[in-house]
Amino acid sequence: MVHIHFVLLISRQGKVRLTKCSEILSRGPKLCNFVEWRGFKVVYKRYASLYFCICNDQDDNELETLSIIHHYVETLDRYFGSVCELDLIFNFHKAYFILDEILLAGEMQETSKRTTLRLIAAQEELLEAAKEEASSLSSIIAQATK
Amino acid sequence: MEQLKTIGRELTMGSQGGFGQSKEFLDLVKSIGEARSKAEEDRIVLREIETLKRRLLEPDIPKRKMKEYIIRLLYVEMLGHDASFGYIHAVKMTHDDALPLKRTGYLAVTLFLSDDHDLIILIVNTIQKDLRSDNYLVVCAALNAVCKLINDETIPAVLPQVVELLGHSKEAVRKKAVMALHRFYQKSPGAVSHLVSNFRKRLCDNDPGVMGASLCPLFDLVTIDAKSYKDLVSSFVSILKQVAERRLPKSYDYHQMPAPFIQVKLLKILALLGSGDKQASESMYTVLGDIIRKSDSSTNIGNAVLYECICCVASIHPNPKLLESAADVIAKFLKSDSHNLKYMGIDALGRLIKLSPQIAEQHQLAVIDCLEDPDDTLKRKTFELLYKMTKSSNVEVIVDRMVDYMISISDDHYKTYIASRCVELAEQFAPSNHWFIQTMNKVFEHAGDLVNIKVAHNLMRLIAEGFGEDDDATDSQLRSSAVESYLRIIGEPKLPSMFLQVICWVLGEYGTADGKHSASYISGKLCDIAEAYSNDETVKAYAISALMKIYAFEVAAGRKVDMLPECQSFIEELLASHSTDLQQRAYELQAVVGLDAQAVQAILPRDTRCEEIEVDKDLSFLNGYVDQAIEKGAQPYIAEDERNGMGNVSNLRSQDQHESIQHGLRFEAYELPKPPMQSKVDPVSSTDVVPVPEALSYRETHPISSVGSTSEAGSSELKLRLDGVQKKWGRPTYSTPTSSTTNSPSEKPANGASHVDSATASYSKSRDSQNTKKTEIDPEKQKLAASLFGGSSQPERRSSTGHKASRSSGGAADGSRGSKAVEKTIQQPPPPDLLDFSDEPTVTSALPSVDPFKQLEGLLDSSMSSTTNHNAGTATIAPDIMSLYGDSTASQDSLDIFHGLSTEPTGATSGETTVTTLPQSVKGPNAKDALEKDALVRQMGVNPTSQNPNLFRDLLG
């Protein structure tokens, strides 16, 4: 399977936007190549001004990895509604949540966009509710656990 | 529309700044975005750290505020700074009852902590509680954390619950439980080995997501032990069949492919299961054929599946039909303009080449295109392929190319890698000793300090031993040629230390052997080296040892030693050296030179490097002396343990204790266990007057000890390796100076001018675009192809038997073969196409041959410049919204190319055409969204990357 060691989002200026690692991450600030890198492969793809990098094993299928990146971006796009870099900057924790639903323990966990988003939405509903009734958090939990 | 609503909702929360964060956070992001340098960014982040530290100390922080602080901590950590002061707050947040906070807490701890962090212990309890929660979302959050944070020690704490969750009613939970169990299996297989049957069960889950997740652990299990899973072959095949027939819900489709990620996983598993198993393989043929036929080769994911099919076909028991269709797919890949596909094609070719070597010949020109491509990644992949297809007939071309490439790159990691590949191929297939030495010289010269020291030892050993067999003449010729080449190379500035060591050793050993060079000439050269690299003690040690040998040979031959003044001063310098090793060597030299010829001959006999040295470990030759001494009343020797009165304690223990008595505290690293023979085997110690201090010879990597272990007695590992080499080496493969004759002209394109490259690129382009395969193919390239791929055309192969017979008879046959190869290359370009490619295609093809990524950048840059032009008219600093919108439409087409490329790489070969096919309305509502977002952000004055006007475009369009 695609064993993903880390995911890295870097803006065109080399600014780090998001990292998720399932292995130890050596944080090189400008690590965006489509190259074999110390026995791993870094697959990257650029969307507008953002580079999405995924590092995986030597013998993994790069095209699949590339598709995973695209799949993630499409999911982000559906979630944010025409996603742009700003969404990811300000809501990077949400980008993480989505990534957590797609990739887990370095493997692709869910390949259906709809399932992913439904799960996020379920969590989100709680989130929204929490925002609206910020004062009575406990009641929401009660509601959710009914 | 729903998305619009979400955005709307976000917007209505404007009081907070619109993105749900406080002004403070937005300001932080803004200032970081605008930071011009890393230093400035660091200052901002450090200030933020101070702020956060202060804030976190405040009492009674509202929970929402705390959540934001945690997110800011994440931001700080993400930018590479230490946020450990706040970890505990993240841990606390996981205890919170409210899911949003809990989830943020979990996110933070998974990103902050590694699985051996001390704080984990505080979280395990929470995780346990959450895994029991009634709310499946809480359980999911906890399982996410489990995957990241649980280590082998904490697995037992959560394992029963995770296993229970495999049967949870919600598929999301089951899926995550599978992943968590898989993680446990990866971390400590022993702890969960009794539970692996669960993965089989989950394969039959009704939810495709859970089934897909269970493929990950099953793949691992099959990798380790394929035999136990043979019974699942039919299940996997039938799942794959159903997937390919679109039986899964539509939502698993991706770019019109039915559940491609699941297909890829299944193909990988089948490849393992079918490997070397004819029966299992046969059950896969049909479905594989179907998938290859059905897969859409115009999308990335379609090609990913196709590639996986090729890997599978290459791995299972071969089927001619499938191999054929795999070859067709490879052809498509290689002909594509997309570098990604070419890369995959080269990789796939490497997999298939073992099964059907002729397939490489079909694509030889495409392979050479890739080799000459400016794209490094592609080039490296191609070298990988060449490495796989190296034989004694093409080793010279391939290794020469590799060496050239090795010289041209600066990345040490890869340089090391390719250097070792060169060495490996040269050792295996070298057609002649001379070539081998030349090649090794080049490798050492340019990557000397990167290659393994064993390679140097191998080379010295090889020169010392020659190629064994029969005639000494060849051996000494080899040595002379090595000496000559080294004398030539010495003049080069800045040679790597390891190469100098080899040079010194060879010069010392064989510099004067053939009588061509005088002792004073060689010793002068050695002094030059020592002087030029005066801060390299290892080289100096080699140099002085070499000098000693030279002088010893002189003395032994009865000649008077005439020490050059510079040698004299070099020796004097070493006599006073701080390094005891160098000092000792210098004193030894002085002592040896002072002895008479006979004694010297006994100490340093000439040309005995290859003789085994008998080592008397018991020092029995001293018995007489010892007895004498005891008779005279000396104390007999008492072994160390006995002396300390702890003879019955285990050896190791007593040693340790002894150490501790002596030193109290040990600061140095523990010594490596001493290999039995080690200390005495060292050739230097046996040939030198005074033995080298033992400690020096323990570790092979120790610079000084390498002097000793150079050749014969070296280490046993060396011996092992070389045996293999010699076998492959000898006469049988020696047969091919032929290839060198055909190859010599083909070396030109390697170092040829860039115009050759562009020309070849354009040729290949025109070939592809016009579907006329062989028009005017660069003869250089054809020659290269011929030398790489050997006889590819039919007549050539037929006559090859004849060559084999005539090869041994020598040069004439070689010549004829060479001319044949040329003949062949001339024949190949078939004739006359009506179109003249000489000028036009070169123009049009220049673009596609560029790296697609670069191309994208280029496009984007141009769009950027166009936008800035727009802005130039208005206010550049804060352009109003309308002008921004105008910009986005103005440069819409260039961005659409992007889109086109990103979704269907092969379709986008000619950028301009896709522009029109992608209707703008696809992103209709989104444009409005983007606009609103723009406006909002502008209002807030946040413009994180103002240098980049494209920022606000959405990523997909």
Side-chain angles (χ1 to χ4, degrees):
Chain A
M1 307 298 130
V2 193
H3 195 86
I4 291 155
H5 296 273
F6 60 82
V7 179
L8 198 58
L9 255 72
I10 307 174
S11 75
R12 258 191 93 193
Q13 291 81 30
K15 296 207 164 95
V16 183
R17 296 295 184 213
L18 186 149
T19 57
K20 167 176 176 146
C21 31
S22 52
E23 302 284 302
I24 317 107
L25 171 70
S26 331
R27 221 183 242 115
K30 281 187 183 165
L31 201 160
C32 42
N33 311 309
F34 177 64
V35 287
E36 286 156 30
W37 177 75
R38 323 224 154 152
F40 299 113
K41 264 188 248 181
V42 178
V43 176
Y44 75 79
K45 188 159 180 186
R46 188 174 143 182
Y47 291 91
S49 52
L50 267 187
Y51 286 98
F52 287 69
C53 307
I54 286 188
C55 172
N56 58 10
D57 280 345
Q58 195 64 258
D59 49 353
D60 279 326
N61 184 336
E62 295 89 341
L63 288 179
E64 191 196 2
T65 313
L66 217 52
S67 299
I68 290 176
I69 296 179
H70 196 72
H71 175 76
Y72 177 48
V73 174
E74 283 183 351
T75 315
L76 285 174
D77 191 55
R78 277 217 208 159
Y79 175 76
F80 286 107
S82 62
V83 63
C84 72
E85 186 178 346
L86 271 189
D87 287 317
L88 300 187
I89 296 172
F90 290 114
N91 287 311
F92 74 100
H93 58 294
K94 290 187 184 168
Y96 267 121
F97 288 140
I98 295 175
L99 189 58
D100 275 344
E101 293 308 323
I102 296 176
L103 301 176
L104 191 59
E107 310 272 4
M108 188 112 178
Q109 101 173 270
E110 180 54 68
T111 60
S112 157
K113 263 175 277 187
R114 201 198 291 162
T115 317
T116 307
L117 288 173
R118 220 184 284 141
L119 203 64
I120 294 285
Q123 294 163 352
E124 213 72 349
E125 258 163 47
L126 282 175
L127 203 68
E128 288 299 316
K131 274 176 190 158
E132 277 153 26
E133 308 169 48
S135 52
S136 55
L137 288 168
S138 51
S139 72
I140 296 149
I141 294 301
Q143 202 183 328
T145 47
K146 249 173 217 169
Chain B
M1 279 330 263
E2 213 173 277
Q3 288 145 7
L4 209 67
K5 264 184 237 157
T6 357
I7 296 287
R9 237 177 300 152
E10 297 253 21
L11 287 177
T12 52
M13 308 195 323
S15 63
Q16 277 229 315
F19 284 93
Q21 271 82 28
S22 73
K23 185 79 173 67
E24 227 178 19
F25 181 51
L26 291 183
D27 282 344
L28 168 72
V29 174
K30 178 188 167 193
S31 54
I32 285 175
E34 284 169 352
R36 297 275 158 174
S37 66
K38 182 82 179 115
E40 197 182 334
E41 185 188 296
D42 285 347
R43 269 199 304 281
I44 296 165
V45 176
L46 288 176
R47 208 166 42 211
E48 172 71 7
I49 289 176
E50 288 312 310
T51 318
L52 284 173
K53 272 186 186 161
R54 249 192 342 265
R55 290 287 160 77
L56 287 171
L57 284 178
E58 286 169 13
D60 301 330
I61 306 168
K63 283 178 174 172
R64 299 231 8 232
K65 262 267 172 291
M66 186 51 113
K67 183 181 157 203
E68 193 196 293
Y69 292 153
I70 300 281
I71 290 174
R72 279 157 70 177
L73 282 173
L74 276 179
Y75 207 86
V76 165
E77 185 100 336
M78 187 168 78
L79 292 171
H81 293 261
D82 177 40
S84 54
F85 61 90
Y87 288 177
I88 188 68
H89 297 280
V91 173
K92 269 191 216 151
M93 189 160 272
T94 61
H95 303 333
D96 203 288
D97 287 330
L99 178 66
L101 296 178
K102 186 183 278 298
R103 212 164 56 130
T104 309
Y106 274 133
L107 174 67
V109 291
T110 51
L111 291 169
F112 284 151
L113 308 181
S114 60
D115 66 3
D116 53 356
H117 199 279
D118 296 338
L119 289 174
I120 296 286
I121 208 72
L122 295 176
I123 302 168
V124 172
N125 216 343
T126 321
I127 290 179
Q128 280 180 323
K129 203 181 91 216
D130 287 344
L131 288 177
R132 277 193 294 267
S133 166
D134 296 333
N135 184 345
Y136 80 98
L137 293 171
V138 172
V139 179
C140 282
L143 281 172
N144 271 354
V146 162
C147 286
K148 177 70 204 299
L149 296 177
I150 296 296
N151 59 18
D152 12 345
E153 280 165 38
T154 37
I155 284 174
V158 294
L159 186 59
Q161 284 168 319
V162 170
V163 173
E164 205 176 301
L165 290 172
L166 287 171
H168 197 274
S169 61
K170 283 281 183 184
E171 63 278 353
V173 175
R174 292 201 300 274
K175 187 175 62 194
K176 283 184 196 290
V178 168
M179 301 302 276
L181 198 57
H182 179 208
R183 193 70 181 159
F184 296 163
Y185 181 76
Q186 285 174 333
K187 292 224 162 163
S188 109
V192 293
S193 53
H194 57 292
L195 296 167
V196 290
S197 61
N198 283 298
F199 295 132
R200 280 165 175 266
K201 260 184 243 157
R202 286 302 125 211
L203 185 63
C204 315
D205 201 284
N206 342 339
D207 182 74
V210 182
M211 183 272 289
S214 73
L215 294 176
C216 303
L218 282 170
F219 173 77
D220 277 8
L221 291 167
V222 171
T223 311
I224 295 163
D225 174 23
K227 273 207 192 91
S228 319
Y229 292 87
K230 294 281 185 193
D231 58 314
L232 287 181
V233 170
S234 58
S235 320
F236 287 129
V237 169
S238 89
I239 295 173
L240 185 56
K241 196 153 163 270
Q242 290 176 44
V243 172
E245 285 168 357
R246 300 181 180 273
R247 301 272 189 80
L248 288 191
K250 211 66 186 123
S251 72
Y252 284 88
D253 280 13
Y254 179 80
H255 292 197
Q256 280 83 50
M257 287 284 291
F261 297 108
I262 292 179
Q263 285 194 42
V264 168
K265 283 180 192 172
L266 284 164
L267 285 166
K268 283 190 168 163
I269 293 175
L270 289 181
L272 291 173
L273 287 172
S275 171
D277 183 340
K278 190 156 180 246
Q279 200 191 343
S281 302
E282 272 163 1
S283 64
M284 304 170 192
Y285 290 156
T286 329
V287 68
L288 282 174
D290 283 351
I291 292 177
I292 295 180
R293 219 172 320 109
K294 276 188 204 158
S295 283
D296 170 13
S297 61
S298 66
T299 58
N300 249 335
I301 190 66
N303 287 318
V305 172
L306 280 172
Y307 166 79
E308 213 53 63
C309 285
I310 300 175
C311 295
C312 186
V313 167
S315 157
I316 63 176
H317 187 84
N319 170 282
K321 233 179 174 174
L322 284 177
L323 285 175
E324 204 174 294
S325 39
D328 288 346
V329 175
I330 290 179
K332 236 185 280 170
F333 281 176
L334 288 174
K335 275 183 203 139
S336 149
D337 284 321
S338 153
H339 276 217
N340 287 351
L341 286 187
K342 279 191 190 168
Y343 178 90
M344 300 311 273
I346 293 282
D347 184 89
L349 201 55
R351 288 170 191 270
L352 224 54
I353 209 164
K354 278 168 257 153
L355 295 173
S356 49
Q358 73 279 5
I359 172 179
E361 288 159 17
Q362 286 167 27
H363 302 299
Q364 41 181 276
L365 291 172
V367 170
I368 288 160
D369 278 345
C370 293
L371 194 62
E372 278 160 6
D373 201 280
D375 185 340
D376 252 4
T377 306
L378 192 54
K379 207 179 259 185
R380 290 176 188 189
K381 196 80 204 171
T382 314
F383 275 121
E384 201 69 11
L385 172 68
L386 291 182
Y387 168 77
K388 280 184 198 156
M389 48 181 266
T390 305
K391 326 175 258 228
S392 49
S393 61
N394 58 13
V395 63
E396 284 166 281
V397 199
I398 290 178
V399 172
D400 282 351
R401 286 249 156 179
M402 278 188 178
V403 169
D404 284 345
Y405 182 60
M406 182 195 79
I407 293 168
S408 74
I409 51 176
S410 54
D411 165 18
D412 270 2
H413 181 80
Y414 193 70
K415 206 172 193 156
T416 314
Y417 177 75
I418 201 158
S420 67
R421 284 260 143 124
C422 289
V423 171
E424 191 185 328
L425 289 178
E427 285 182 351
Q428 261 184 35
F429 299 109
S432 72
N433 305 336
H434 181 73
W435 179 85
F436 180 75
I437 287 180
Q438 292 299 324
T439 306
M440 296 308 272
N441 285 353
K442 265 193 246 167
V443 172
F444 273 115
E445 197 177 334
H446 297 283
D449 290 330
L450 300 173
V451 294
N452 193 325
I453 189 140
K454 277 184 193 162
V455 175
H457 295 168
N458 264 354
L459 180 62
M460 289 189 264
R461 191 179 156 88
L462 184 100
I463 292 173
E465 292 186 345
F467 300 96
E469 297 171 28
D470 30 28
D471 54 334
D472 288 339
T474 338
D475 289 352
S476 57
Q477 202 189 341
L478 166 73
R479 287 168 197 154
S480 311
S481 83
V483 168
E484 288 306 319
S485 68
Y486 292 150
L487 285 175
R488 227 176 303 125
I489 290 171
I490 289 178
E492 303 277 328
K494 272 201 77 80
L495 293 171
S497 170
M498 208 195 291
F499 191 34
L500 289 166
Q501 293 164 28
V502 176
I503 291 178
C504 287
W505 187 84
V506 172
L507 289 185
E509 204 70 35
Y510 303 109
T512 55
D514 60 0
K516 224 163 154 191
H517 301 286
S518 71
S520 71
Y521 178 74
I522 299 288
S523 59
K525 287 283 178 195
L526 286 168
C527 285
D528 288 348
I529 295 177
E531 199 181 332
Y533 301 88
S534 58
N535 43 9
D536 189 334
E537 294 208 341
T538 319
V539 170
K540 278 208 253 181
Y542 268 93
I544 188 104
S545 291
L547 275 182
M548 176 160 67
K549 283 179 221 157
I550 299 277
Y551 291 139
F553 298 150
E554 287 299 289
V555 173
R559 286 190 287 269
K560 202 176 156 289
V561 174
D562 237 351
M563 234 180 254
L564 292 175
E566 64 249 43
C567 298
Q568 201 88 52
S569 63
F570 172 54
I571 294 165
E572 268 156 30
E573 180 207 321
L574 292 195
L575 285 173
S577 169
H578 289 295
S579 155
T580 45
D581 177 64
L582 290 180
Q583 239 188 62
Q584 180 165 0
R585 282 167 200 273
Y587 276 111
E588 283 169 16
L589 185 147
Q590 269 198 330
V592 169
V593 172
L595 295 171
D596 63 85
Q598 222 175 359
V600 169
Q601 200 146 30
I603 298 168
L604 278 174
R606 193 182 260 279
D607 207 17
T608 48
R609 280 282 146 191
C610 310
E611 278 162 27
E612 291 293 325
I613 293 173
E614 296 275 331
V615 177
D616 185 354
K617 273 207 288 185
D618 301 330
L619 306 178
S620 57
F621 56 89
L622 286 175
N623 285 350
Y625 175 77
V626 171
D627 290 343
Q628 231 174 1
I630 290 176
E631 261 169 41
K632 282 183 190 157
Q635 284 281 318
Y637 175 73
I638 304 167
E640 221 170 81
D641 336 342
E642 289 168 38
R643 233 177 351 210
N644 288 324
M646 35 185 64
N648 43 1
V649 185
S650 79
N651 199 18
L652 184 76
R653 181 82 179 278
S654 75
Q655 216 171 15
D656 276 356
Q657 295 223 342
H658 185 61
E659 295 285 356
S660 64
I661 290 163
Q662 272 195 328
H663 305 291
L665 260 179
R666 289 188 58 163
F667 292 103
E668 74 275 29
Y670 286 103
E671 265 176 89
L672 297 170
K674 304 172 187 178
M677 294 283 286
Q678 195 72 5
S679 59
K680 309 274 166 57
V681 172
D682 191 359
V684 170
S685 63
S686 51
T687 46
D688 287 352
V689 181
V690 194
V692 172
E694 270 192 20
L696 289 178
S697 57
Y698 287 147
R699 255 161 289 152
E700 209 199 351
T701 48
H702 193 284
I704 306 299
S705 74
S706 60
V707 177
S709 53
T710 46
S711 65
E712 74 269 68
S715 73
S716 52
E717 291 156 86
L718 293 186
K719 207 168 214 165
L720 269 177
R721 235 190 120 136
L722 261 170
D723 286 345
V725 171
Q726 270 188 331
K727 241 177 243 164
K728 287 190 175 163
W729 194 286
R731 302 294 145 188
T733 53
Y734 185 63
S735 57
T736 37
T738 46
S739 51
S740 75
T741 54
T742 48
N743 296 339
S744 47
S746 69
E747 279 164 4
K748 273 174 202 157
N751 42 15
S754 61
H755 107 99
V756 178
D757 278 0
S758 66
T760 53
S762 69
Y763 281 130
S764 69
K765 222 74 285 166
S766 58
R767 247 188 305 132
D768 289 344
S769 57
Q770 306 285 335
N771 261 343
T772 48
K773 259 217 172 148
K774 297 152 185 171
T775 39
E776 296 173 49
I777 296 160
D778 187 342
E780 294 281 2
K781 206 193 282 177
Q782 285 210 323
K783 268 180 227 159
L784 177 62
S787 51
L788 280 180
F789 295 90
S792 65
S793 67
Q794 286 304 326
E796 173 74 355
R797 211 182 300 154
R798 234 176 285 136
S799 61
S800 68
T801 45
H803 284 303
K804 246 176 224 162
S806 61
R807 243 174 230 166
S808 51
S809 69
D814 296 346
S816 77
R817 194 187 179 212
S819 67
K820 258 213 186 125
V822 174
E823 234 172 77
K824 186 199 96 203
T825 54
I826 295 165
Q827 277 165 11
Q828 226 179 21
D833 202 284
L834 293 175
L835 295 165
D836 178 18
F837 292 116
S838 54
D839 47 4
E840 221 221 336
T842 49
V843 179
T844 54
S845 62
L847 191 76
S849 70
V850 178
D851 180 329
F853 288 104
K854 279 197 191 131
Q855 202 180 343
L856 289 186
E857 262 165 58
L859 284 171
L860 202 89
D861 285 344
S862 73
S863 79
M864 272 175 68
S865 62
S866 81
T867 51
T868 41
N869 284 345
H870 269 272
N871 283 345
T874 59
T876 28
I877 304 153
D880 65 335
I881 307 151
M882 278 326 285
S883 80
L884 250 177
Y885 191 50
D887 286 348
S888 71
T889 45
S891 53
Q892 188 73 35
D893 24 14
S894 53
L895 278 164
D896 270 349
I897 295 174
F898 229 144
H899 188 215
L901 277 174
S902 60
T903 47
E904 28 187 28
T906 45
T909 47
S910 58
E912 262 67 26
T913 50
T914 38
V915 174
T916 48
T917 58
L918 272 175
Q920 215 172 307
S921 60
V922 169
K923 286 261 161 192
N926 295 346
K928 212 173 144 207
D929 286 351
L931 193 64
E932 280 169 12
K933 256 186 230 171
D934 265 15
L936 172 75
V937 166
R938 298 271 161 178
Q939 268 171 355
M940 297 184 318
V942 177
N943 185 8
T945 34
S946 48
Q947 313 95 298
N948 176 16
N950 287 296
L951 176 69
F952 301 118
R953 305 264 153 61
D954 50 341
L955 299 177
L956 285 171

